[in-house]
Amino acid sequence: MYTALYRAERPEVFSEVIGQDHIVRILKNQIQTGTVSHAYLFCGTRGTGKTTTARILAKAVNCLDEGEDSRKPCGHCANCMAIKEGTFMDVIEIDAASNNGVDNIRELRESVKYPPAVGRKKVYIIDEVHMLSTGAFNALLKTLEEPPENVIFILATTDPQKLPQTILSRCMRLDFKRVPEKVLIDHMGRICAEKGIEITERALRLLAANADGSVRDGLSILDQCLSAGDRKLDRDMILEFLGTVSEEFFIHLTDKVSLHDVAGALVLLDEALQEGKDVKQLMKDWMTHYRSLLITKYIKNAEDMLNMSTENIEKLREQSNQISLDEINSGIVTLSRTIQDARYSSQPRILLELAIVTIASGLTEAAPLGKNVRQVQQASVKPQSSSLSAASMPIAGEKMPKAAANVQAAQPENGGAAGDNRGTDEIGQQAPAVRAPQIPDYQLDEIWERIFEEGEDMKGSFNLIRTGAVLAEINDTQFKVIAQNAFTKQYVESNQQHICRLMEKITGKQLKLVCRTEEQDEETPSRNQEAESLAAEVRSKLGIDVKIQ
Ligand SMILES: Nc1ncnc2c1ncn2[C@@H]1O[C@H](COP(=O)(O)OP(=O)(O)OP(=O)(O)O)[C@@H](O)[C@H]1O
Ligand SMILES: [Mg+2]
Ligand SMILES: [Zn+2]
């Protein structure tokens, strides 16, 4: 029988646990000094090692290894093996989700009275402890207060805030952290190497980004990517898989706002954020969802354009049939603005909530389709500048790299035929006439982030640049960076060579760096001029009146 990767790769000893050094250090020290507590509370995001560490601790206190305590658990003595197999009588795992009643805990209290049968300590691991009923908590409290000698309780939960204070105050609390991407990359890279699977660095990075700090999630995604039997994995293959997991959420969210169910949408958002999703990434992915709706609404064979399963495309198509083009338009415009505003904001969540209210209540100032063609284009179509094909941009966390290129490639040459801006049945017929000259801001942000990822080992001033400046524009010859103030600008300029070199690594082009402060930038008319000339082009070619705001 096939064992899932995340089970096969469960750490057996402390040294195999990744990303929780702070906890491992404490526990090892307690074992060495004989000061193991009688009750622990392991808190933290799913898949970060709570159950795993609980079992390792159970082994350590029962390990038969004769050597130094620092070597415990050894992982291969009879007790360690029995605990690993789940056959050790003195380690009792209880899933509180399905044993949450008073009776269950009473039973536990009875069994606690008996001394260990074979080991030194009886260890009770109560998983999902927040699921216990109030009565069960009260029953447990008594035992936690006066635990018999030789008994250890390890309570584990993802929701410590749901536990009564009385329980919290009786346990030693250890918080499991989300595992950093870098650590995940190394871990998964090593597992792949051991299995003889070739995986590209970019693929690993994407996997780690989507694991979202959870080792189990990372391994599950990897497992599913491998299930097709490939021995080689690249970023596109992982993208293809990823595109199919999260779509469901955005379909729900879009449904809610479309039905003007603001409360429902906010609750959904809250759930996603509680799971640890990144707010800014959510904004971007939701906008991508609207773009996918736009594409499925107008293109028959969208499968090739969107890296998605047929089932998901069907779901998208169903949704796009139900919502109007104006709604899609409003979603894209509102979200693109929200993404832009969130760049400098320390409260992106509020902005996204506001966006939900705006879209759901139809308050977008977006004019009806037609007047908005340029905005929609800017927001929804990815760059087509000659120097930066979508494929040449390695953007972490991005889900559909090929789609945008295809949108344009698949469209007929512009014959100037798209005269009627509302009635055309294929948005594709309008699109080619209006070039998308600017790379959308969210993509600029990702390029900017990549620069710092690549230049990670660079000196400290780099961090100042990362937070104090944004990438505002890229064209065929140069890229523009806007610094918050003159001080940061100075730093950008003194690191010019580095930045240009990293930019070249990412885009494959030698580009000149132009840096300005926010103030200077506001004075420059260049962006306006560009917009004006574009508007003129739209006016003359399409007969659409475009207002520059
Ligand atoms: N810190 C870690 N180091 C190495 N592997 C880990 C770590 N955390 C999780 N894993 C992997 O994920 C699997 C599940 O981990 P575990 O059951 O310990 O997570 P958990 O924190 O208890 O999650 P949940 O909250 O869902 O119960 C492990 O078998 C292992 O493969
Ligand atoms: Mg667990
Ligand atoms: Zn042992």
Side-chain angles (χ1 to χ4, degrees):
M1 211 182 76
Y2 179 73
T3 313
L5 206 49
Y6 76 83
R7 281 178 191 274
E9 296 293 333
R10 192 188 281 281
E12 298 300 337
V13 292
F14 281 123
S15 59
E16 289 168 6
V17 175
I18 60 165
Q20 312 296 354
D21 299 353
H22 59 300
I23 289 173
V24 168
R25 208 175 315 128
I26 293 172
L27 293 177
K28 285 188 81 160
N29 181 52
Q30 291 191 330
I31 291 158
Q32 279 178 51
T33 54
T35 53
V36 173
S37 306
H38 70 271
Y40 290 91
L41 177 64
F42 288 0
C43 312
T45 321
R46 78 232 173 268
T48 48
K50 299 182 293 298
T51 306
T52 305
T53 308
R55 289 190 192 156
I56 296 177
L57 179 57
K59 277 183 215 167
V61 294
N62 282 301
C63 180
L64 298 172
D65 190 272
E66 312 251 284
E68 300 267 304
D69 278 346
S70 60
R71 283 176 35 195
K72 291 183 177 169
C74 69
H76 46 70
C77 67
N79 285 1
C80 283
M81 289 309 282
I83 294 173
K84 177 183 173 178
E85 309 292 336
T87 55
F88 193 71
M89 284 186 45
D90 296 322
V91 174
I92 301 110
E93 287 196 33
I94 300 165
D95 176 16
S98 45
N99 301 289
N100 62 355
V102 188
D103 290 347
N104 299 110
I105 300 298
R106 289 216 179 106
E107 220 173 278
L108 183 149
R109 267 168 54 184
E110 277 307 303
S111 89
V112 160
K113 289 182 192 156
Y114 302 101
V118 275
R120 281 193 300 273
K121 298 254 182 200
K122 239 173 153 168
V123 183
Y124 288 86
I125 301 174
I126 310 183
D127 241 324
E128 313 285 344
V129 68
H130 62 274
M131 302 289 279
L132 290 182
S133 66
T134 315
F137 273 130
N138 288 333
L140 180 63
L141 216 53
K142 284 245 161 58
T143 322
L144 279 184
E145 255 168 7
E146 306 152 21
E149 257 310 271
N150 304 330
V151 169
I152 297 175
F153 282 98
I154 306 175
L155 315 181
T157 179
T158 44
D159 292 285
Q161 69 281 0
K162 289 188 185 153
L163 298 182
Q165 191 56 41
T166 42
I167 297 273
L168 291 172
S169 62
R170 281 170 178 79
C171 300
M172 172 168 187
R173 175 173 170 163
L174 296 175
D175 285 284
F176 284 67
K177 291 191 192 137
R178 247 167 239 282
V179 177
E181 272 179 41
K182 234 182 136 44
V183 179
L184 279 175
I185 291 173
D186 290 347
H187 184 59
M188 292 193 281
R190 190 184 49 72
I191 291 177
C192 287
E194 279 170 7
K195 296 190 167 301
I197 286 149
E198 252 179 71
I199 181 164
T200 65
E201 177 71 27
R202 289 174 66 202
L204 275 174
R205 224 184 279 177
L206 186 67
L207 264 181
N210 280 276
D212 216 12
S214 161
V215 189
R216 182 179 41 229
D217 285 7
L219 293 180
S220 295
I221 306 173
L222 176 62
D223 218 2
Q224 303 199 42
C225 295
L226 288 171
S227 62
D230 298 299
R231 308 299 294 167
K232 277 186 176 185
L233 285 180
D234 62 20
R235 184 169 170 275
D236 277 357
M237 293 162 80
I238 288 164
L239 269 177
E240 201 160 323
F241 172 74
L242 286 174
T244 63
V245 284
S246 59
E247 216 45 48
E248 201 72 31
F249 170 76
F250 293 106
I251 288 182
H252 280 146
L253 188 61
T254 309
D255 263 337
K256 296 269 184 239
V257 294
S258 179
L259 295 168
H260 311 297
D261 177 6
V262 175
L266 291 177
V267 168
L268 265 185
L269 173 67
D270 185 60
E271 284 169 3
L273 295 178
Q274 289 219 6
E275 270 178 42
K277 294 267 177 335
D278 176 55
V279 189
K280 291 184 186 175
Q281 191 62 42
L282 271 180
M283 296 175 183
K284 294 168 195 173
D285 291 350
W286 194 16
M287 191 167 91
T288 306
H289 176 75
Y290 271 113
R291 194 189 99 231
S292 307
L293 287 174
L294 189 73
I295 291 170
T296 39
K297 205 170 178 68
Y298 288 96
I299 312 253
K300 276 204 193 83
N301 299 316
E303 280 84 341
D304 296 337
M305 291 187 195
L306 306 168
N307 267 327
M308 274 188 200
S309 68
T310 323
E311 297 91 300
N312 269 326
I313 296 206
E314 256 332 294
K315 284 185 206 149
L316 273 173
R317 201 186 305 282
E318 214 173 278
Q319 181 163 62
S320 71
N321 284 338
Q322 278 161 11
I323 70 177
S324 71
L325 193 52
D326 272 346
E327 260 184 90
I328 298 180
N329 182 23
S330 146
I332 292 175
V333 171
T334 308
L335 285 169
S336 105
R337 200 173 296 145
T338 307
I339 291 165
Q340 166 101 19
D341 293 348
R343 295 178 90 195
Y344 286 117
S345 172
S346 55
Q347 302 275 15
R349 176 183 179 145
I350 298 178
L351 294 176
L352 183 52
E353 287 168 344
L354 189 66
I356 286 178
V357 176
T358 311
I359 303 170
S361 55
L363 284 174
T364 326
E365 310 136 48
L369 187 83
K371 287 187 185 154
N372 249 315
V373 163
R374 183 177 166 315
Q375 271 176 294
V376 174
Q377 278 289 313
Q378 277 243 5
S380 63
V381 176
K382 294 189 181 170
Q384 277 295 289
S385 122
S386 55
S387 64
L388 293 161
S389 71
S392 75
M393 274 192 289
I395 292 163
E398 193 213 9
K399 296 214 165 125
M400 295 163 208
K402 287 193 232 139
N406 289 341
V407 172
Q408 295 219 331
Q411 286 149 4
E413 285 293 312
N414 169 41
D420 177 52
N421 52 52
R422 289 157 294 111
T424 38
D425 49 17
E426 287 244 332
I427 197 152
Q429 288 183 354
Q430 309 176 350
V434 192
R435 267 181 299 116
Q438 254 291 314
I439 297 172
D441 286 328
Y442 73 91
Q443 231 167 40
L444 289 173
D445 281 346
E446 285 174 8
I447 296 173
W448 194 231
E449 279 299 308
R450 279 301 303 278
I451 289 189
F452 296 97
E453 264 175 42
E454 294 283 345
E456 210 160 36
D457 34 49
M458 230 57 97
K459 50 188 188 296
S461 54
F462 239 53
N463 222 0
L464 186 86
I465 301 174
R466 177 187 212 151
T467 51
V470 293
L471 179 62
E473 240 175 79
I474 302 183
N475 64 27
D476 284 353
T477 53
Q478 61 182 43
F479 61 102
K480 183 157 97 183
V481 171
I482 311 260
Q484 267 170 359
N485 49 40
F487 182 65
T488 317
K489 178 170 180 269
Q490 234 177 14
Y491 266 99
V492 174
E493 281 165 351
S494 60
N495 280 286
Q496 188 159 5
Q497 273 187 336
H498 281 329
I499 300 176
C500 285
R501 204 156 28 82
L502 292 168
M503 188 58 119
E504 185 182 346
K505 205 168 159 191
I506 291 167
T507 63
K509 286 269 158 187
Q510 279 189 358
L511 303 173
K512 221 177 103 209
L513 169 87
V514 182
C515 184
R516 301 183 145 271
T517 58
E518 276 172 45
E519 270 174 9
Q520 287 172 327
D521 193 55
E522 271 157 23
E523 289 157 14
T524 34
S526 74
R527 239 178 158 167
N528 281 345
Q529 276 171 4
E530 195 188 324
E532 278 299 349
S533 76
L534 217 124
E537 194 180 331
V538 175
R539 257 177 237 127
S540 75
K541 290 210 172 126
L542 296 178
I544 302 169
D545 193 21
V546 178
K547 285 209 178 71
I548 310 290
Q549 290 175 347

